[in-house]
Amino acid sequence: MGHTHYWYLRTEARETVERRLGSILEDFARLLPHLPPLAGPDGTGGPVLYPPEVAFNGPAPEDYESFVFPWWEEKEWSFGFCKTGPDRESKRPYDLAVRTFLLLAKLHLGDLVQVASDAPLADWAEAALLVEGVLALPVDLYGLLGARLLEVEDARGRRFLLERWKEDDRELDDWLQARERMDREGLFPWPFRGPYRVLGEVHLPQEELPRRWAKEGFYERR
């Protein structure tokens, strides 16, 4: 398992991606003073921050899995990923650098890259606010990551927000029922009870996301 970030690069656009990598790295270099220390891909030495490939990790013992970008395969979309810790609570500090770099890649590459993640929007907001604050680049997390916040009401009329990274919500009921089951078994707390009703989509300001995030996996509806 592990706390993982994923991305897909359009393979036929390899030349374009590699040409724009320099611009991505220029922005990333301006953010380095605001990021945790980085090391080479094996956790020692310095990070590799020049074309045609980026490779870094956290400095040992705060290293985990190396981040390498771009990563090419003989497929329509080249798949890459990086685990930054065994779980969200134990992710290594360089996780912020991975999120920040992937946001910059999305800003510069647009539809040539798709980004997904185990991290909630509340975590991505930290990287987005850093990019906006230092580089003055507007970041729309919802649009860049293809994520949405749904307002949900449970059987007792209590409302909360859930994020979804897919347009298809057919698995939402299964996810909610699984949360209730884990709560009954004492594995994971979940304060709500079904049946549930989706009321619509909500667009919280990015700076609100970390403040509204609850460790049980939802956002508070205030």
Side-chain angles (χ1 to χ4, degrees), residues 75-166:
K75 300 177 182 178
E76 181 181 1
W77 289 91
S78 296
F79 174 64
F81 67 94
C82 178
K83 297 180 182 180
T84 58
D87 50 49
R88 178 175 179 264
E89 289 69 28
S90 304
K91 64 181 180 293
R92 305 301 191 256
Y94 80 101
D95 180 87
L96 176 58
V98 173
R99 281 178 276 135
T100 301
F101 187 93
L102 289 175
L103 278 185
L104 290 174
K106 185 64 179 171
L107 285 169
H108 283 272
L109 298 175
D111 293 339
L112 301 183
V113 63
Q114 299 174 1
V115 177
S117 178
D118 294 342
L121 288 173
D123 287 356
W124 283 92
E126 180 184 14
L129 293 171
L130 180 61
V131 170
E132 289 184 335
V134 177
L135 302 179
L137 293 175
V139 178
D140 173 18
L141 274 183
Y142 300 98
L144 291 177
L145 300 178
R148 298 172 297 143
L149 281 182
L150 299 180
E151 183 175 14
V152 181
E153 184 178 77
D154 78 348
R156 303 172 189 172
R158 295 175 298 180
R159 297 183 180 185
F160 57 98
L161 305 178
L162 280 182
E163 67 180 58
R164 303 293 290 169
W165 285 57
K166 299 178 180 179

Side-chain angles (χ1 to χ4, degrees), residues 2-222:
H3 187 70
T4 311
H5 306 293
Y6 317 84
W7 60 93
Y8 294 85
L9 284 165
R10 188 177 291 278
T11 305
E12 66 179 13
R14 179 169 182 167
E15 290 186 7
T16 302
V17 171
E18 292 180 345
R19 186 169 62 251
R20 296 182 187 176
L21 186 58
S23 297
I24 298 171
L25 284 168
E26 286 180 9
D27 284 343
F28 191 66
R30 293 174 59 191
L31 294 171
L32 285 176
H34 307 274
L35 294 172
L38 300 179
D42 64 352
T44 64
V48 179
L49 301 177
Y50 46 83
E53 184 179 85
V54 175
F56 62 79
N57 204 326
E62 296 293 343
D63 59 326
Y64 202 74
E65 189 171 274
S66 57
F67 175 78
V68 179
F69 186 99
W71 185 270
W72 299 109
E73 298 180 309
E74 296 298 323
K75 300 177 182 178
E76 181 181 1
W77 289 91
S78 296
F79 174 64
F81 67 94
C82 178
K83 297 180 182 180
T84 58
D87 50 49
R88 178 175 179 264
E89 289 69 28
S90 304
K91 64 181 180 293
R92 305 301 191 256
Y94 80 101
D95 180 87
L96 176 58
V98 173
R99 281 178 276 135
T100 301
F101 187 93
L102 289 175
L103 278 185
L104 290 174
K106 185 64 179 171
L107 285 169
H108 283 272
L109 298 175
D111 293 339
L112 301 183
V113 63
Q114 299 174 1
V115 177
S117 178
D118 294 342
L121 288 173
D123 287 356
W124 283 92
E126 180 184 14
L129 293 171
L130 180 61
V131 170
E132 289 184 335
V134 177
L135 302 179
L137 293 175
V139 178
D140 173 18
L141 274 183
Y142 300 98
L144 291 177
L145 300 178
R148 298 172 297 143
L149 281 182
L150 299 180
E151 183 175 14
V152 181
E153 184 178 77
D154 78 348
R156 303 172 189 172
R158 295 175 298 180
R159 297 183 180 185
F160 57 98
L161 305 178
L162 280 182
E163 67 180 58
R164 303 293 290 169
W165 285 57
K166 299 178 180 179
E167 290 297 329
D168 189 349
D169 292 326
R170 287 177 296 180
E171 298 177 359
L172 181 58
D173 284 340
D174 292 340
W175 188 90
L176 289 165
Q177 290 173 20
R179 289 283 167 155
E180 287 192 29
R181 184 170 58 253
M182 288 190 289
D183 181 62
R184 290 193 298 269
E185 295 172 356
L187 300 175
F188 193 89
W190 184 250
F192 306 105
R193 289 294 180 266
Y196 299 92
R197 185 165 64 104
V198 176
L199 302 178
E201 193 169 328
V202 176
H203 199 99
L204 285 182
Q206 290 169 170
E207 60 271 17
E208 278 290 309
L209 292 169
R211 293 195 286 265
R212 301 278 193 99
W213 174 253
K215 63 181 180 180
E216 292 85 0
F218 64 91
Y219 295 86
E220 297 175 353
R221 187 68 170 114
R222 298 175 184 172

